[in-house]
C-alpha cells in the first residue's frame, strides 16, 4: 500500500495505490482561483497546497479504506515544477515517511506522465502486462516532448518544445480571442463546430528533420491575423472556424512529428499523456492514423491526463518494486529536474 502526493503546479492530489490498482485518487484543482489572474500565481498555488494537502490525503486514505499504518511507502513529485509548490508536497511526504518509518520516493513528474497511458480500467489499474516499447507524446500547459520508451523505466528524450508548450499555445490563442482561462478546453469545444480549413495557420517545424517543437510563432500568426481581421472573433461562426483552424495546426503538428518518430525508430506503439491529450481532435485523429498504420495506440484516460497523484503512485510502486526512486532523508525538491537526466538508454 502506497500513498502518493502531487503538488508540482496547480493541482493538490493524493492517491492510494496497491498492487498496481488505484484505490483512491483525490484531486483538488485550483483552476478557478488562478483564472482571475489568467495564469498560475505561484504564491497562491503554494498557499492552497499547504491548506489542502492534509484534507486531500485524509480523503484519499478514507476512500481507499486504509489507515496510515497500512502504508509501506510514501511518494511525492520531486520535480520539475514550481519550487515552493513542490516543496509543500515533497516535504509532507518526507515527514509522513519518517514518522511511519517507511521509505519516501521522489518521483519525476514527466516520467509519471510517461507511464500514465498504461493505466486503464475500470477499476483503474496499471496494465504493465500490455507494455510495449513506444514513442510517447507528453503534451500539457507546461511541457511538450517526444520520448522513446525502449523498455519499462528506460527512455530517451527525442525532442521538446523550444518555446511555448502546446497547451500554452491553446491558452494564449484563446486569450487573444477573449475566451476564459484555461482556454484549451473551451477552444476545443468551439472547434468541434467549426471548419478546420477556413483559415491557414503554420504547422511549425513539422517538416524539419528533428523532434523539437515550437508554438510561439503560431500564437503570433494568430495575433497578426486578428489585427488584419478586426472584429472577426465577435462573429460566432467565424470564431468557431478560427478555433478549428488553430486546433488543426497544433494537432497536425503534434501527430505528424509523433508518427514520423515512430516510423524512424521502427516502433509499433504510440502513447500520449498530459492535459492536451484531452483534446478531442488529438484523440480522434491519432486513433484514425494509428489504425491506418497498424500501430497500437494508448491514450491516457481523460481523468488521468491532467496532473494527478495516481500516476505518481503507479510509477512509484513500480520503481519501489525494483529498488529505484527511494530518496535520501535529506533530499531536496528539484524544480528544474530534466527528464534527460534520468535517461537509462543512450
Ligand atoms: O497537464 P495539465 O493539467 O497541466 C500542466 O502540467 O500544464 O494541462 C493543462 C493544459 C492547459 O494548457 C489546458 O488548456 C490544456 O492542458 N487542455 C487542453 C484541453 N484540455 C486541457 N488543450 C486543448 N484541448 C483540450 N481539450
Ligand atoms: Zn503535468
Amino acid at each position: 500500500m502506497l500513498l502518493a502526493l502531487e503538488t508540482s503546479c496547480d493541482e493538490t492530489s493524493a492517491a492510494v495505490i496497491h498492487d498496481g490498482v488505484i484505490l483512491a485518487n483525490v484531486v483538488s484543482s485550483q483552476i478557478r482561483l488562478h483564472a482571475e489572474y489568467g495564469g498560475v500565481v505561484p504564491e497562491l498555488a503554494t498557499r492552497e497546497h499547504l491548506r489542502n494537502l492534509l484534507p486531500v490525503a485524509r480523503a484519499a486514505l478514507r476512500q481507499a479504506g486504509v489507515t496510515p499504518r497500512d502504508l509501506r511507502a510514501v511518494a511525492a513529485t520531486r520535480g520539475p515544477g514550481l519550487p515552493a509548490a513542490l516543496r509543500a508536497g515533497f516535504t509532507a511526504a518526507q515527514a509522513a515517511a519518517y514518522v511511519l518509518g517507511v521509505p519516501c520516493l521522489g518521483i519525476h513528474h514527466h516520467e509519471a506522465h510517461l507511464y500514465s497511458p498504461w493505466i486503464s480500467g475500470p477499476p483503474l489499474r496499471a496494465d504493465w502486462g500490455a507494455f510495449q516499447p513506444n514513442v510517447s507524446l507528453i503534451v500539457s500547459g507546461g511541457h511538450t516532448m517526444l520520448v522513446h520508451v525502449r523498455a519499462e523505466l528506460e527512455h530517451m528524450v527525442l525532442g521538446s518544445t523550444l518555446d511555448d508548450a502546446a497547451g500554452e499555445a491553446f491558452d494564449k490563442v484563446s486569450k487573444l480571442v477573449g475566451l476564459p482561462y484555461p482556454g484549451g478546453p473551451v477552444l476545443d469545444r468551439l472547434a468541434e463546430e467549426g471548419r478546420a480549413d477556413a483559415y491557414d495557420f503554420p504547422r511549425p517545424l513539422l517538416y524539419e528533420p528533428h523532434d523539437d517543437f515550437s508554438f510561439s510563432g503560431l500564437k503570433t500568426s494568430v495575433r497578426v491575423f486578428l489585427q488584419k481581421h478586426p472584429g472577426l472573433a465577435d462573429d460566432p461562426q467565424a470564431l468557431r472556424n478560427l478555433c478549428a483552424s488553430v486546433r488543426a495546426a497544433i494537432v497536425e503538428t503534434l501527430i505528424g512529428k509523433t508518427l514520423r518518430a515512430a516510423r524512424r525508430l521502427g516502433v509499433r506503439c504510440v502513447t500520449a499523456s498530459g492535459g492536451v491529450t484531452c483534446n478531442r481532435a488529438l484523440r480522434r485523429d491519432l486513433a484514425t492514423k494509428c489504425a491506418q498504420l497498424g500501430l497500437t495506440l494508448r491514450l491516457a484516460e481523460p481523468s488521468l491526463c491532467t496532473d494527478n497523484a495516481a500516476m505518481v503512485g503507479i510509477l512509484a510502486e513500480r520503481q519501489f518494486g525494483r529498488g529505484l526512486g527511494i530518496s535520501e532523508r535529506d533530499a531536496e525538491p528539484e524544480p528544474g529536474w530534466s527528464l534527460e537526466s534520468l535517461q537509462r538508454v543512450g
Side-chain angles (χ1 to χ4, degrees), residues 11 140-143 167 170-171 182 184-185 188 274-276 278-279 305-307:
E11 263 93 25
S140 75
H143 20 271
F170 273 117
D171 295 341
D188 187 24
V276 177
C278 288
N279 188 271
C305 282
T306 47
D307 292 344

Side-chain angles (χ1 to χ4, degrees), residues 164-176:
D164 291 353
E168 207 175 343
F170 273 117
D171 295 341
K172 286 180 174 171
V173 168
S174 305
K175 197 170 174 182
L176 286 176

